[in-house]
Amino acid sequence: MSELAKNIRKLRTKYGYSQPELAQRLGVSRSAVSMYENGNREPNLEVLEAMCDIFNVSMNYLTGISETTPVIPDIDFFLNDE
């Protein structure tokens, strides 16, 4: 299994998403998420970018190029006046 597949599964469970929930957020089918996690299919760039946004990680981390991810600030934090 590829690092990408492992990381997708790891992050999905860490964030508490079921496969159908993640699929809905990504705009893909549940079976597509299952195939991503099993290494039978790789997501296209648009889906990879959406995963990075959902999980707040870098593309290098998600794909397994890097074992760590820089802290990506949440833009809402900076836009909140409180």
Side-chain angles (χ1 to χ4, degrees):
M1 183 183 308
S2 72
E3 288 301 311
L4 173 61
K6 290 177 190 174
N7 287 338
I8 293 170
R9 179 171 294 180
K10 177 175 68 174
L11 289 165
R12 178 183 60 78
T13 57
K14 176 183 175 182
Y15 280 78
Y17 293 123
S18 65
Q19 286 184 344
E21 289 170 331
L22 181 58
Q24 182 178 10
R25 290 189 63 131
L26 295 171
V28 299
S29 66
R30 188 221 44 91
S31 64
V33 171
S34 177
M35 287 188 279
Y36 300 155
E37 291 184 359
N38 290 316
N40 297 328
R41 179 176 171 185
E42 291 194 0
N44 63 31
L45 184 58
E46 184 178 295
V47 173
L48 284 172
E49 289 174 338
M51 285 184 193
C52 289
D53 289 342
I54 291 167
F55 299 133
N56 198 32
V57 296
S58 69
M59 186 76 69
N60 283 346
Y61 178 80
L62 184 63
T63 58
I65 293 171
S66 173
E67 292 183 15
T68 59
T69 188
V71 175
I72 301 171
D74 183 0
I75 192 73
D76 291 334
F77 174 78
F78 295 105
L79 297 177
N80 190 350
D81 289 337
E82 295 177 3

